[in-house]
Amino acid sequence: MNWEAITVTLQLASLTAAILLVLGTPIAYWLTFSRWRWKFLVEAVVALPLVLPPTVLGFYLLVAMSPSGAVGGWYRTLTGHQLAFSFEGLLVASVLYSLPFAVQPLTAAFGAVDVKYVEASWTLGVSKVRTFVRVIMPLSLAGIVTAGVLSFAHTLGEFGVVLMVGGNIAGVTRTVSIDIYDEVQALNYDGAAQTAFVLLVFSFLVLSVVYAVNRRVWAVWPMK
């Protein structure tokens, strides 16, 4: 097995999951408690990667991250390096692509908290931030764990977005999924089978954790 590709993949998945928990939490909180009339538009944008072909998302990200693109040009001016075909660019793409896998479980968990506890905390004069930390988060622990695990696992299996934005640079952007593809292209089916089996076992374990934490089948995705 290509341990270099495995290392890159684990780094990418860990950072993606951590960033998504930080970014996804306020988004999920707003989606849960906001009464804005047009909130469904934000929900649609967040869920878009679930239905959008990875190559389409990867294409638009590649255009934006190119040196002539708005984001890529700004990044190159700031750092002197290009964002496309770099680990940093791959990380940005992974965060956007896995966003719904963090936000939707968090939204479901926040929405399942009994509003009486939240209102009781507010009545006692506790601020919304402290109420969130002391009341909502402890009662939403299962959803938080699910969001982190799914974000991590989904990043492990990325292919289309990774190939479009990161390319296939050894030690930088070559992930496990791309390594399997390379092995198949080289007719090295034994090597591809070994790596694929490891991902299969890991994916099964991840889903086992998710369903162990969330006893209900639809606890992962909120039903509306």
Side-chain angles (χ1 to χ4, degrees):
M1 287 190 294
N2 189 337
W3 294 104
E4 188 177 57
I6 291 176
T7 301
V8 172
T9 304
L10 291 177
Q11 290 177 345
L12 179 65
S14 300
L15 289 172
T16 299
I19 293 173
L20 281 175
L21 285 178
V22 174
L23 294 180
T25 298
I27 295 175
Y29 180 88
W30 183 84
L31 290 176
T32 303
F33 297 103
S34 174
R35 296 184 179 181
W36 186 44
R37 180 179 180 180
W38 304 100
K39 183 178 67 174
F40 68 91
L41 295 176
V42 180
E43 292 176 316
V45 171
V46 171
L48 194 59
L50 291 175
V51 296
L52 194 65
T55 51
V56 174
L57 178 61
F59 170 75
Y60 283 116
L61 289 175
L62 182 61
V63 171
M65 293 181 186
S66 66
S68 58
V71 178
W74 171 81
Y75 183 83
R76 187 166 188 173
T77 302
L78 185 66
T79 65
H81 304 284
Q82 70 174 24
L83 188 57
F85 304 111
S86 67
F87 182 83
E88 292 77 11
L90 190 58
L91 180 60
V92 172
S94 297
V95 168
L96 294 176
Y97 187 49
S98 297
L99 183 63
F101 289 86
V103 172
Q104 291 195 2
L106 289 171
T107 303
F110 296 162
V113 175
D114 194 333
V115 69
K116 291 186 295 185
Y117 297 125
V118 178
E119 291 177 346
S121 178
W122 292 345
T123 301
L124 294 173
V126 181
S127 66
K128 290 186 177 182
V129 175
R130 294 180 64 186
T131 298
F132 176 76
V133 173
R134 294 188 175 185
V135 177
I136 298 177
M137 284 190 67
L139 294 176
S140 306
L141 184 59
I144 295 173
V145 172
T146 299
V149 171
L150 285 180
S151 300
F152 183 89
H154 185 247
T155 305
L156 290 181
E158 289 180 12
F159 179 77
V161 172
V162 169
L163 191 60
M164 290 287 289
V165 176
N168 188 1
I169 305 174
V172 180
T173 62
R174 180 181 296 168
T175 60
V176 172
S177 58
I178 294 179
D179 182 67
I180 294 175
Y181 177 79
D182 287 342
E183 295 289 1
V184 172
Q185 288 290 96
L187 302 181
N188 183 13
Y189 295 114
D190 290 338
Q194 291 177 4
T195 307
F197 180 73
V198 171
L199 284 183
L200 175 63
V201 172
F202 183 82
S203 298
F204 175 77
L205 293 176
V206 166
L207 288 177
S208 299
V209 170
V210 170
Y211 282 107
V213 173
N214 298 274
R215 297 295 181 179
R216 293 176 299 153
V217 175
W218 291 107
V220 177
W221 306 117
M223 297 294 290
K224 295 185 178 180

